[in-house]
Amino acid sequence: MKNSVSTFIEAKKNGKKITMVTAYDYSMARLIDDAGVNSILVGDSLGMVVLGYKDTLSVTMEDMLHHVKATARGCKNALLVADLPFMSYQTSVYDAVVNAGKLIQIGGAEAVKIEGGSNICEQVKAIVNAQIPVMGHIGLTPQSVNIFGGFKVQGKGELEAKKLIEDAKALEAAGVFSIVLEGIPYKLAKIITESVSVPTIGIGAGKYCDGQVLVYQDMLGMFKDFKPKFVKTYANAGDMMTNAFKKYIEEVENGTFPDEEHSFKISDDVLNKLY
Ligand code: KIV
């Protein structure tokens, strides 16, 4: 069944957990969608796990559109959410609406995600006013890595924690349909989840969130640069892939691939005329 923003809202009402996984291309979107996930996120984690940057700040609208379009072709039943990358919405309310519109109109996304709290509520209101569903994102927001001084857990102190609760409420009032809580203590995530009527989607925010999101390269053991504490590896696909590539190299080198089964035939009649 096709998931929509209503699926998120209904799930929170009914106490049903929401599932979300990232994807950045057609093949992965097909696999993840077939598994029955509620939502696929084309995150700007693209910059790190696909494009090889050290953070998400180099990701552009062009990068996002290229990957959102590919992902949209493979996304059938999941709600497709796309990230607004760094500097696509901070500059003005106008830029935010135009770029959110591009992710929908050119990319084929069905909702956009935006990092920040009360500081970006004007942008959120304007995008929602343009009839585009918005997912908020607070806590360890990777686009603020230079302000945070690294990828550090947020909301551990009283003032910081209170600010995150206020940010969540401000985003709800601005019209978001859900909020990602990233890298915060799980008991703070519980308070935030109970403080807003829209669902919270956790990543490194513990079990009390209304749903969870993971980056697929992390959950499949395909990204080896570092492994955050909150990541659970559901399959060692990275090792499986490396072993498969090693086997391929071995078989090409020793001549066992390609064999007859993987080769095309020609009739002897035609063949004899070629000599
Ligand atoms: O970019 C991303 O993949 C994200 C998730 C980690 C929530 O924002």
Side-chain angles (χ1 to χ4, degrees), residues 196-208:
V196 291
S197 62
V198 294
T200 57
I201 310 295
I203 174 160
K207 64 178 182 178
Y208 296 114

Side-chain angles (χ1 to χ4, degrees), residues 10 21 37 50 73 77 79 112 115 117 119 164 191 207 236 261 273 275:
E10 286 303 309
V21 175
V37 78
V50 176
R73 290 180 208 116
N77 293 318
L79 173 72
V112 299
E115 292 186 13
N119 58 320
L164 286 172
I191 295 173
K207 64 178 182 178
N236 283 314
E261 188 194 342
K273 291 180 184 136
Y275 286 105

Side-chain angles (χ1 to χ4, degrees), residues 22 69 72 75 80-81 87 93 95 131 183 202 207 230 237 257 263 265:
T22 66
K69 282 196 276 186
C75 182
L80 185 60
V81 183
M87 284 300 121
V93 170
D95 286 349
Q131 307 304 302
K207 64 178 182 178
F230 61 80
F257 177 83
S263 302
K265 296 203 170 90

